[in-house]
């Protein structure tokens, strides 16, 4: 019986990490890919609000759908900042959190590589869209860091509220819907400032694959993680 239980647990963990890999792969391929639409990227500055809205919708609806697809297998984290927050909230183990994060980055790099190849980005001579950065003339590093942290804090607060045990009667689609709406809102808010990462994978892998990573890299790697960490005690002290 012990062997059977262990075997079942191993199978479930394998399914979970594969779901995180594929979920993050799809996130980068489809959502970051939407920001690289040749038609949208070619629009003039007068169409910037439309561009921001379309990309925000793509990320919000896309990630909400991906979370819904992955939720049964892994919980649909697809974000290291979320996995760290769930670890701190004692909802997943250290081993599971570490494996999730490894497979999230692996899936992100795979998605970015496929997007780079399928979109023939190696042949583009103008700026490639979808990378996370901030304008030093508008923001300094600390401001960009805290914007990313606050955006991720909002996302993690939404997640913790959505999976709260007191809401067990909530329809299964409401959690990914709430997550998708929070991501949509944060993209509308943050795209003009940082292009909105709120996810260490999203904020780094496309920059690296396209060869345009800069010293701003650390803002998008650690800002979301700090925001997710802060959200856990805030939720449990104030909102739970």
């Amino acid at each position: 019986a012990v062997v059977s239980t262990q075997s079942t647990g191993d199978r479930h963990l394998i399914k979970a990490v594969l779901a995180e890999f594929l979920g993050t792969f799809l996130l980068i391929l489809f959502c970051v890919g939407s920001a690289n639409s040749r038609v949208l990227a070619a629009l003039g500055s007068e169409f910037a609000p439309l561009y921001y809205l379309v990309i925000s919708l793509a990320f919000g609806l896309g990630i909400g759908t991906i979370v819904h697809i992955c939720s049964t297998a892994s919980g649909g984290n697809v974000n290291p900042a979320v996995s760290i927050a769930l670890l701190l909230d004692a909802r997943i183990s250290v081993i599971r959190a570490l494996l999730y994060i490894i497979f999230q980055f692996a899936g992100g790099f795979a998605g970015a590589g496929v997007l780079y190849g399928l979109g023939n980005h190696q042949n583009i001579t103008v700026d490639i869209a979808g990378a996370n950065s901030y304008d030093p003339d508008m923001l300094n590093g600390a401001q960009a860091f805290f914007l990313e942290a606050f955006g991720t804090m909002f996302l993690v607060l939404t997640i913790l509220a959505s999976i709260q045990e007191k809401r067990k009667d909530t329809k299964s689609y409401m959690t990914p819907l709430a997550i998708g709406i929070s991501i949509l809102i944060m993209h509308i808010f943050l795209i003009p400032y940082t292009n909105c990462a709120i996810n260490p994978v999203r904020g780094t892998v496309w920059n690296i694959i396209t060869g345009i990573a800069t010293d701003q890299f650390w803002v998008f790697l650690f800002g979301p993680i700090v925001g997710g960490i802060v959200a856990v005690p805030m939720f449990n002290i104030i909102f739970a």
Side-chain angles (χ1 to χ4, degrees):
V2 173
V3 173
S4 176
T5 301
Q6 181 65 43
S7 177
T8 300
D10 290 344
R11 286 199 301 272
H12 287 167
L13 183 57
I14 291 170
K15 287 175 61 176
V17 296
L18 288 176
E20 289 298 309
F21 176 91
L22 291 172
T24 316
F25 172 89
L26 295 174
L27 187 162
I28 299 299
L29 178 61
F30 294 147
C31 297
V32 176
S34 68
N36 281 277
S37 165
R38 300 291 193 276
V39 175
L40 291 175
L43 293 175
S45 58
E46 66 272 19
F47 291 99
L50 174 63
Y51 178 76
Y52 295 159
L53 179 59
V54 171
I55 302 309
S56 299
L57 284 168
F59 272 89
L61 296 177
I63 295 174
T65 303
I66 290 167
V67 169
H68 192 54
I69 293 170
C70 299
S71 59
T72 301
S74 68
N77 293 191
V78 295
N79 184 336
V82 172
S83 296
I84 292 171
L86 294 179
L87 168 64
L88 294 176
D89 203 43
R91 293 182 179 273
I92 59 175
S93 67
V94 173
I95 296 298
R96 184 174 289 263
L98 288 173
L99 287 173
Y100 276 14
I101 292 169
I102 291 169
F103 277 81
Q104 287 159 2
F105 272 102
F109 275 112
V114 170
L115 175 61
Y116 189 79
L118 291 179
N120 289 320
H121 288 91
Q122 66 272 19
N123 298 325
I124 295 178
T125 57
V126 296
D127 291 341
I128 296 175
N132 286 106
S133 63
Y134 60 89
D135 183 352
D137 293 331
M138 179 188 297
L139 302 172
N140 58 42
Q143 290 171 319
F145 182 95
F146 281 107
L147 281 169
E148 284 292 321
F150 283 126
T152 313
M153 182 182 70
F154 181 75
L155 169 61
V156 172
L157 286 174
T158 302
I159 292 170
L160 293 176
S162 300
I163 62 176
Q164 192 177 22
E165 285 73 12
K166 294 179 181 178
R167 307 186 188 191
K168 284 183 178 179
D169 58 339
T170 302
K171 300 294 184 182
S172 63
Y173 60 81
M174 290 305 296
T175 294
L177 178 61
I179 292 169
I181 291 173
S182 71
I183 291 170
L184 166 63
I185 293 168
M186 284 302 97
H187 275 75
I188 292 173
F189 169 49
L190 287 176
I191 284 178
Y193 297 104
T194 64
N195 214 19
C196 191
I198 60 173
N199 180 333
V201 174
R202 187 270 181 269
T204 58
V205 298
W206 184 240
N207 293 47
I208 292 172
I209 290 294
T210 55
I212 53 179
T214 67
D215 58 357
Q216 298 180 2
F217 176 91
W218 306 106
V219 167
F220 302 103
L221 180 62
F222 292 113
I225 292 174
V226 170
I229 290 172
V230 171
V232 176
M234 177 183 292
F235 179 82
N236 287 312
I237 293 171
I238 300 174
F239 299 110

